[in-house]
Amino acid sequence: MSIEEYSNWNQRESDADAEQEPYRKYVFICEGENTEVWYFRRLIDLRKTLGLHPLIDLRLWGKTDEDASLSAPNRLVRFANEQKLLPDLGFDPSFDKLVIVFDADVFEREQPEKYRELLEAREQDNIFAVTNPSFELFLLLHLEDAYDNIILPNQQKLLENSKIGNRRFAELLLSSNAGINGKKNKKGVAELAEHVDTAIIQETQLNQDICLCMGRLTSNIAKIIDDIRHDAPQKKSKANNNNDLQSTIIDQI
């Protein structure tokens, strides 16, 4: 097994709640090994603060062993699609959604046409959570007034995201303004997740259309989180089937 699953679904206030099966699972799988994983683990722990519907579950599939360093977006998507088929993970494509988190900067720099091909091949139950250039841009949005005071004045340098020494510009910008190294500071990244409402508001000032992200500062992660927060399904029953869903489902172009 190449997946380590993280969820707090069974951590409920009563035994009755713990016995309840989720109606829909949103499963995150990330390109990065550390930063993104630290963020989404904390986000899962914040499900009560987020105000998620009781029948919505958040889970994280963490890559392990030989797959831990797998990062190329096309390989990540192929790997994620393979994991959905494993019966032990209980992914139900009729109800569940897989959120695949990756950066578009490699396409921006090298093969933009490959990005279009990746979008066209996307499976219906997959949601692409994309940042251009990198996840650090999304993390910056958690800081008050970051768009006006940090991102906007540096938009061209952010989009280029050139290496300065052994780190890219977005990483250095996060370090200088949040006081953390996003690649090493687990606690600092987790604490940023507690300000996701700030990110949701500020992200609307960036491009959120992942089909138009080449050449634009882009992030749709906060939008996805907000959409999940507003998913309000009815209780799943044996009578329900894929043609009788009374729920709000995230739509992506």
Side-chain angles (χ1 to χ4, degrees):
M1 173 65 70
S2 299
I3 286 289
E4 179 182 51
E5 187 172 62
Y6 182 77
S7 172
N8 67 356
W9 179 253
N10 290 323
Q11 297 175 19
R12 294 292 186 272
E13 295 179 357
S14 71
D15 292 339
D17 287 337
E19 292 171 0
Q20 196 173 49
E21 284 296 315
Y23 180 90
R24 174 173 297 118
K25 298 188 293 288
Y26 287 93
V27 182
F28 292 88
I29 187 166
C30 304
E31 176 183 7
E33 296 178 62
N34 295 322
T35 311
E36 294 96 325
V37 171
W38 297 335
Y39 182 90
F40 286 109
R41 283 178 70 98
R42 181 57 182 151
L43 194 74
I44 289 170
D45 290 340
L46 292 170
R47 60 164 294 127
K48 185 174 181 181
T49 304
L50 289 173
L52 296 184
H53 189 281
L55 295 179
I56 293 296
D57 184 20
L58 299 183
R59 299 190 180 189
L60 175 71
W61 286 352
K63 299 169 294 176
T64 63
D65 303 326
E66 70 276 7
D67 298 309
S69 60
L70 188 153
S71 62
N74 57 340
R75 291 180 58 206
L76 177 68
V77 171
R78 185 165 60 248
F79 173 78
N81 288 334
E82 291 169 353
Q83 306 314 304
K84 291 190 301 186
L85 302 177
L86 299 177
D88 290 347
L89 292 176
F91 186 91
D92 183 347
S94 299
F95 297 95
D96 302 332
K97 297 288 182 180
L98 187 58
V99 184
I100 305 174
V101 184
F102 63 91
D103 302 335
D105 60 346
V106 63
F107 298 107
E108 182 78 51
R109 295 194 305 270
E110 299 172 12
Q111 297 177 311
E113 71 280 0
K114 295 294 184 183
Y115 179 73
R116 185 178 65 253
E117 292 172 6
L118 191 66
L119 292 184
E120 291 173 350
R122 179 177 49 194
E123 296 189 8
Q124 188 174 4
D125 51 24
N126 285 353
I127 297 168
F128 285 177
V130 179
T131 47
N132 190 24
S134 64
F135 194 73
E136 283 79 12
L137 173 64
F138 169 65
L139 293 181
L140 280 168
L141 294 170
H142 294 69
L143 306 178
E144 290 288 345
D145 300 318
Y147 179 78
D148 289 330
N149 296 335
I150 303 170
I151 295 172
L152 196 58
N154 291 287
Q155 56 182 337
Q156 189 56 43
K157 288 184 178 180
L158 272 169
L159 193 58
E160 294 168 359
N161 206 24
S162 301
K163 272 197 169 182
I164 302 172
N166 62 350
R167 302 172 70 189
R168 293 203 174 272
F169 181 76
E171 297 174 46
L172 293 172
L173 200 61
L174 179 67
S175 293
S176 61
N177 288 278
I180 64 169
N181 183 330
K183 303 296 186 187
K184 298 180 179 180
N185 191 326
K186 178 179 180 179
K187 183 175 182 291
V189 171
E191 287 176 350
L192 286 177
E194 298 171 10
H195 302 281
V196 67
D197 285 332
T198 300
I200 289 170
I201 293 169
Q202 293 196 95
E203 192 188 73
T204 60
Q205 297 175 280
L206 299 178
N207 171 55
Q208 293 180 297
D209 186 343
I210 65 171
C211 295
L212 302 174
C213 83
M214 293 296 100
R216 302 184 182 189
L217 292 180
T218 299
S219 176
N220 72 328
I221 299 176
K223 182 182 185 304
I224 289 169
I225 294 169
D226 196 42
D227 286 345
I228 293 172
R229 187 159 63 175
H230 289 91
D231 190 355
Q234 304 296 319
K235 185 175 181 180
K236 185 192 292 188
S237 69
K238 291 183 180 179
N240 273 348
N241 56 48
N242 200 35
N243 297 318
D244 189 29
L245 295 183
Q246 300 298 317
S247 62
T248 300
I249 299 177
I250 288 179
D251 292 321
Q252 276 193 294
I253 296 173

